[in-house]
Amino acid sequence: MTGRLIFTLLLALPACLSAPPASAADGDPAAGKAIFERTCENCHAAVIGVNKVGPSLWNVAGRKPATVPDFAYSDAMKANKEPWTAAALDTYLADPRGDIHGVRMFFKGLPNPADRANVIAFLQTLK
Ligand code: HEC
């Protein structure tokens, strides 16, 4: 009995150890699109020039924050000078209201790193 349990654990262990950490580089844009439609699209359009509760996210990857014309950003977001690299997006989306104090994005964030990697991969296709 114990032997069988240990055997099972030994089988399961390598699978856990070899799971690579998720990063935007290996995100899946198609899966990200589905997450975007479910969790971001109420507030954000993926096309240029359409602002909703949040600014258009067209071409957001790599650009400076708070630069979409005709969108009233919070002062906290205007003060954020760090470009939206994959790493910056990852930190922001994990906890939007904790990352940049006082932002107006009333969204609890995406706790799952794989979800963030997929959404970021999708955002990178919006060009
Ligand atoms: C409840 C509405 C809401 C939801 C849901 C939401 N956002 Fe936002 N988002 C906002 C608002 C409002 C801002 C502007 C924040 C500010 O000015 O402080 C914003 C800002 C942003 C910015 C910065 C844009 C810029 O022009 O600098 C990014 C990137 C972003 N959101 C990504 C996302 C992603 C990706 C999701 C889904 C995973 C998401 N948001 C979900 C409302 C939302």
Side-chain angles (χ1 to χ4, degrees):
M1 187 63 194
T2 316
R4 187 136 165 232
L5 184 65
I6 289 170
F7 181 67
T8 312
L9 284 174
L10 285 177
L11 276 184
L13 198 58
C16 302
L17 291 178
S18 64
S23 81
D26 44 46
D28 171 0
K33 184 169 193 281
I35 295 169
F36 183 89
E37 287 169 354
R38 211 165 53 230
T39 52
C40 318
E41 212 169 34
N42 282 337
C43 298
H44 290 288
V47 293
I48 190 168
V50 179
N51 295 331
K52 300 181 172 180
V53 172
S56 161
L57 291 184
W58 180 81
N59 201 26
V60 71
R63 75 157 161 77
K64 292 226 174 75
T67 46
V68 170
D70 302 322
F71 184 81
Y73 288 96
S74 65
D75 289 342
M77 189 60 86
K78 283 190 257 181
N80 175 17
K81 304 286 180 222
E82 191 191 350
W84 288 125
T85 59
L89 284 166
D90 186 63
T91 309
Y92 180 61
L93 294 175
D95 182 9
R97 316 219 50 226
D99 177 43
I100 301 161
H101 188 72
V103 285
R104 246 184 254 139
M105 178 156 127
F106 290 98
F107 172 59
K108 66 176 169 37
L110 294 171
N112 183 336
D115 286 352
R116 294 199 299 277
N118 291 342
V119 164
I120 292 165
F122 170 67
L123 292 177
Q124 287 167 339
T125 68
L126 303 179
K127 295 202 189 299

